[in-house]
Amino acid sequence: MKIEKGQMGYLKALKKKYLLWSLGEFGIVAAVFILGYVQTKTKQNLFTIVAVVGCLPAAKMLVEFITVSPHQGIEKEKFEEIEEKAPLIMRLYDMLFTSAQKAMPVDALVVSGHVVCGYASSPRTDEAALSEYIKGILKDNRYDKMTVKIFHNYKMFLARAEGLNNMAAVERPENDRNEQKIKKILFSIAM
């Protein structure tokens, strides 16, 4: 079963994918270079040029792997607790947001109406900067009155998610379509 963006275990699957692809691509580059050297007994041949050009996509995959590798996904216990406490609202897991300055991992995000709330266990994630970044991207996509809050404190995040879930249980607004659009925007700025 393929793990999609926003599901638990996505970062782990992404690391595995990038590692395998980069190893495979560098293997092909090495094979092309060796084939050219064995056939011509010199490094100055067309195969060497093809191998050098083939290093570009291989290096890109390696950079992607290096970018993702230090980040961990959400813990299983926290995932299960969020699933239990907030079943009525949109939940996204293992997101890695990339801005011009840095990559910031977020373990869990919930989206309900005009509120985006996230939990980031990593000290690398700057709560205020990421909140402003997401809010700015949403504003650029005509979602002006959005509230975006990222927490390092899991209990505070869980309380907020539970509160949003309770509001959704009482008055379920017809904004599932907007939430799907917000999800699409969030996916576009995340690895």
Side-chain angles (χ1 to χ4, degrees):
M1 180 173 136
K2 183 178 177 188
I3 297 176
E4 301 286 327
K5 189 182 280 192
Q7 293 179 335
M8 182 185 150
Y10 179 70
L11 284 178
K12 186 177 179 180
L14 203 58
K15 287 180 205 179
K16 186 177 181 181
K17 173 186 153 188
Y18 286 147
L19 179 63
L20 292 174
W21 273 97
S22 61
L23 289 174
E25 289 181 6
F26 277 115
I28 291 170
V29 166
V32 167
F33 177 76
I34 292 169
L35 176 67
Y37 187 76
V38 166
Q39 285 185 348
T40 63
K41 305 288 189 256
T42 179
K43 291 186 278 185
Q44 298 174 346
N45 59 54
L46 189 59
F47 287 103
T48 302
I49 294 170
V50 171
V52 169
V53 172
C55 285
L56 294 173
K60 182 183 181 297
M61 276 296 147
L62 185 60
V63 168
E64 297 284 345
F65 172 72
I66 291 169
T67 303
V68 174
S69 65
H71 306 294
Q72 303 299 318
I74 190 166
E75 299 164 16
K76 187 168 178 61
E77 298 80 32
K78 290 179 179 176
F79 166 76
E80 290 170 352
E81 189 173 12
I82 295 167
E83 287 290 307
E84 177 189 321
K85 303 246 180 185
L88 299 177
I89 57 178
M90 181 182 293
R91 299 159 316 279
L92 305 171
Y93 302 99
D94 291 356
M95 304 286 286
L96 182 61
F97 291 99
T98 53
S99 70
Q101 290 79 25
K102 62 181 181 175
M104 296 173 278
V106 175
D107 296 3
L109 274 174
V110 292
V111 180
S112 180
H114 65 280
V115 178
V116 176
C117 181
Y119 165 64
S121 63
S122 174
R124 296 177 187 193
T125 302
D126 181 357
E127 301 170 314
L130 182 57
S131 294
E132 286 303 313
Y133 176 65
I134 292 173
K135 194 170 188 172
I137 295 293
L138 291 171
K139 188 175 184 181
D140 292 345
N141 285 279
R142 291 178 272 170
Y143 287 95
D144 295 328
K145 297 182 185 280
M146 294 295 295
T147 302
V148 180
K149 180 70 177 150
I150 306 296
F151 296 97
H152 278 303
N153 185 321
Y154 176 69
K155 294 296 180 191
M156 289 174 67
F157 163 75
L158 192 61
R160 178 73 62 97
E162 203 170 0
L164 291 171
N165 189 68
N166 291 339
M167 288 191 315
V170 172
E171 53 180 64
R172 183 66 182 153
E174 298 300 322
N175 56 7
D176 188 48
R177 195 170 183 191
N178 279 341
E179 289 173 2
Q180 291 299 325
K181 289 179 182 177
I182 292 169
K183 175 182 171 182
K184 206 177 270 190
I185 294 167
L186 291 172
F187 280 0
S188 72
I189 59 173
M191 285 186 84

